[in-house]
Amino acid sequence: AQRVTQPEKLLSVFKGAPVELKCNYSYSGSPELFWYVQYSRQRLQLLLRHISRESIKGFTADLNKGETSFHLKKPFAQEEDSAMYYCALSGSGGSYIPTFGRGTSLIVHP
Amino acid sequence: DAGVTQSPTHLIKTRGQQVTLRCSPKSGHDTVSWYQQALGQGPQFIFQYYEEEERQRGNFPDRFSGHQFPNYSSELNVNALLLGDSALYLCASSASRQPQHFGDGTRLSIL
């Protein structure tokens, strides 16, 4: 069974500090990993996918198959990064049916 | 394009009743998925519809059923409502294997 674990319910940092939101997964095959974000009063939206290997809004995430992790990082947090972040996994070869973690609330203080 | 639209935004029902939630996908999308999001949890996959058929289903009882219409819009039906069905119900649409776009959700409260 596939599972996504986000160990932190809440992460609080100051503006300009580095931020790392942790995500660990369990999956027997080759997974596809995603980070979704939900800003206050907005709908859930895709932030980035591991296969794209891109940086979005300064965030990056590297898939570490050895540690089964897909941590989201940003070197200098901004107040507008405050949001709910969800890590999600889907099995490769199928349709995009992600299994979501419970989410981490990121608060960036001025 | 308004993106994915869901109706109603809020709904209050009592135990044992039945409810129908509606979703219109983003323009150009042909696949609709439904999720249940309980308070403090991530979205949990209910099922996905493509070409008017249920293509995949998550671990939800048969009380949860759905439908997709020729215009790709979709309905989620829940029968014999339980208190535990209280949640935010999210609809997401996609095209082919592209990432999903989510709606704002319907907040369902069971009394």
Side-chain angles (χ1 to χ4, degrees):
Chain A
Q2 55 194 59
R3 186 166 63 232
V4 175
T5 303
Q6 293 180 251
E8 303 137 332
K9 260 183 111 170
L10 173 66
L11 187 61
S12 182
V13 301
F14 285 98
K15 177 183 172 182
V19 63
E20 180 180 55
L21 289 89
K22 291 184 167 50
C23 172
N24 290 91
Y25 67 89
S26 173
Y27 185 70
S28 56
S30 293
E32 295 190 42
L33 275 297
F34 310 82
W35 276 99
Y36 285 81
V37 61
Q38 186 167 26
Y39 300 103
S40 179
R41 298 189 185 86
Q42 294 188 28
R43 55 187 62 182
L44 193 62
Q45 59 185 287
L46 180 67
L47 180 62
L48 53 80
R49 307 156 58 177
H50 90 270
I51 59 173
S52 301
R53 292 186 160 274
E54 55 194 347
S55 173
I56 304 292
K57 299 184 179 183
F59 284 98
T60 59
D62 291 318
L63 178 60
N64 185 324
K65 292 188 177 181
E67 295 183 359
T68 60
S69 68
F70 188 57
H71 303 328
L72 183 67
K73 300 177 184 179
K74 184 169 183 176
F76 307 104
Q78 303 299 315
E79 288 178 70
E80 56 265 29
D81 296 328
S82 295
M84 196 73 181
Y85 291 81
Y86 295 94
C87 181
L89 170 157
S90 72
S92 59
S95 58
Y96 272 175
I97 308 296
T99 296
F100 285 83
R102 67 172 182 175
T104 297
S105 177
L106 174 64
I107 299 176
V108 182
H109 300 280
Chain B
D1 179 17
V4 179
T5 58
Q6 293 186 242
S7 64
T9 53
H10 295 87
L11 203 50
I12 299 175
K13 291 286 187 179
T14 57
R15 281 180 297 175
Q17 285 189 310
Q18 177 266 343
V19 68
T20 297
L21 311 182
R22 295 177 176 82
C23 172
S24 292
K26 181 179 169 64
S27 177
H29 287 183
D30 57 8
T31 302
V32 173
S33 301
W34 287 93
Y35 294 83
Q36 181 193 66
Q37 186 174 18
L39 202 60
Q41 302 296 319
Q44 191 172 357
F45 174 70
I46 303 174
F47 42 54
Q48 183 184 75
Y49 277 84
Y50 173 71
E51 292 189 341
E52 302 180 50
E53 290 193 2
E54 183 183 291
R55 183 157 70 172
Q56 292 193 48
R57 188 178 182 93
N59 189 23
F60 278 80
D62 292 344
R63 297 188 298 109
F64 289 78
S65 63
H67 189 78
Q68 186 179 33
F69 299 94
N71 66 353
Y72 308 118
S73 67
S74 176
E75 288 182 350
L76 163 65
N77 300 293
V78 187
N79 295 322
L81 287 166
L82 304 173
L83 292 178
D85 295 332
S86 294
L88 179 69
Y89 288 84
L90 294 169
C91 172
S93 71
S94 59
S96 187
R97 280 180 51 78
Q98 296 305 306
Q100 299 180 342
H101 291 243
F102 285 83
D104 289 325
T106 293
R107 175 75 59 188
L108 176 63
S109 298
I110 311 301
L111 303 180

